[in-house]
Amino acid sequence: FALGGFEDRYVQEFAVALVRWEGRIIAFATIWTVASRSAFSIDLLRYVPEGPPRIMDFLFVELINWGRAEGYG
């Protein structure tokens, strides 16, 4: 596991999954996809510590559900 630095330009190059809570973005992940839809990968992750507990677990499950709905393997 490596922790990459946050760069606006890098994040803008990818699809981004967001979690909003009480009108505020509290977590996000950039997503790497492949054209064949055989796989996708979660890349850069960030969350605010004052958000609800286990928010990243929620984000991962929602991304898995999204990937399944979009036809990823």
Side-chain angles (χ1 to χ4, degrees):
F1 179 77
L3 183 61
F6 179 90
E7 294 288 335
D8 287 341
R9 288 182 57 201
Y10 180 81
V11 173
Q12 293 171 8
E13 295 292 321
F14 299 96
V16 177
L18 300 174
V19 178
R20 294 179 193 268
W21 185 56
E22 298 180 348
R24 181 176 167 218
I25 296 172
I26 60 165
F28 79 89
T30 57
I31 307 166
W32 287 353
T33 59
V34 295
S36 67
R37 292 190 183 243
S38 60
F40 72 92
S41 180
I42 300 166
D43 182 32
L44 184 65
L45 309 165
R46 293 291 186 271
Y47 67 96
V48 296
E50 61 271 14
R54 300 190 348 221
I55 195 63
M56 294 312 286
D57 294 341
F58 171 80
L59 179 58
F60 295 147
V61 170
E62 289 298 307
L63 277 168
I64 291 167
N65 289 334
W66 169 83
R68 186 176 297 134
E70 292 293 316
Y72 286 90

